[in-house]
């Protein structure tokens, strides 16, 4: 079953890994930041070793985004950011796992201080639409 893990964040300035630019993460003791970084590297290695990680990508600054909406019979482009929300999509990972429970286990391990992680099933073949 394929799932997308979406990382929502709002680092100032924009950068990756987003946690390095978030006050909530920067305010943690050094040993806690190192542990969280090591845990992230561990889950990435685990996903790769298990063949569960299909891919992922960090996204650029939302201020560089272009938004396309359909208006009067044709697409109309506008500059980013794409929304007025406090948090923006910072990146994503596509995983192919055995069950929703496994997807939830993985997504929970991506959550960090100052970030929101969204788990969403993929709709193409192999995706779970439940």
């Amino acid at each position: 079953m394929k799932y997308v893990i979406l990382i929502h964040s709002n680092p100032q300035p924009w950068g990756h890994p987003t946690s390095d630019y978030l006050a909530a993460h920067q305010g943690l003791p050094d040993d806690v930041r190192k542990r969280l970084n090591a845990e992230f590297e561990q889950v990435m290695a685990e996903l790769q070793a298990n063949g569960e990680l299909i891919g992922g990508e960090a996204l650029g600054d939302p201020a560089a985004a272009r938004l396309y909406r359909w208006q009067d019979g044709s697409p109309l482009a506008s500059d980013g950011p794409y929304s007025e929300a406090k948090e923006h999509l910072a990146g994503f990972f596509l995983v192919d796992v055995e069950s929703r429970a496994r997807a939830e286990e993985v997504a929970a391990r991506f959550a960090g201080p100052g970030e929101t992680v969204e788990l969403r099933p993929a709709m193409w073949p192999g995706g779970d639409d439940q």
Side-chain angles (χ1 to χ4, degrees):
M1 295 177 216
K2 292 181 181 172
Y3 288 87
V4 177
I5 299 169
L6 303 168
I7 311 299
H8 298 272
S9 190
N10 189 23
Q12 298 298 321
W14 192 264
H16 288 280
T18 54
S19 58
D20 288 352
Y21 297 87
L22 295 169
H25 185 81
Q26 293 169 341
L28 296 172
D30 189 52
D31 62 320
V32 173
R33 286 193 316 272
K34 285 180 181 177
R35 179 181 52 81
L36 291 173
N37 289 339
E39 288 173 359
F40 178 77
E41 293 300 324
Q42 179 184 3
V43 73
M44 292 301 294
E46 176 184 308
L47 290 170
Q48 288 176 326
N50 293 344
E52 295 174 314
L53 181 64
I54 295 173
E57 190 70 43
L59 300 177
D61 190 334
R66 295 284 282 168
L67 180 65
Y68 295 85
R69 288 196 170 106
W70 195 256
Q71 185 174 4
D72 298 325
S74 63
L76 175 67
S78 62
D79 291 334
Y82 62 87
S83 72
E84 296 299 320
K86 181 178 177 184
E87 293 181 334
H88 303 280
L89 184 60
F92 68 93
F93 295 91
L94 179 61
V95 296
D96 190 357
V97 295
E98 185 175 303
S99 66
R100 181 171 183 92
R102 172 65 178 151
E104 290 174 355
E105 173 190 330
V106 170
R109 293 173 69 187
F110 277 78
E115 296 179 311
T116 301
V117 174
E118 177 182 351
L119 177 66
R120 190 180 299 181
M123 293 301 294
W124 52 79
D128 178 12
D129 59 1
Q130 297 178 1

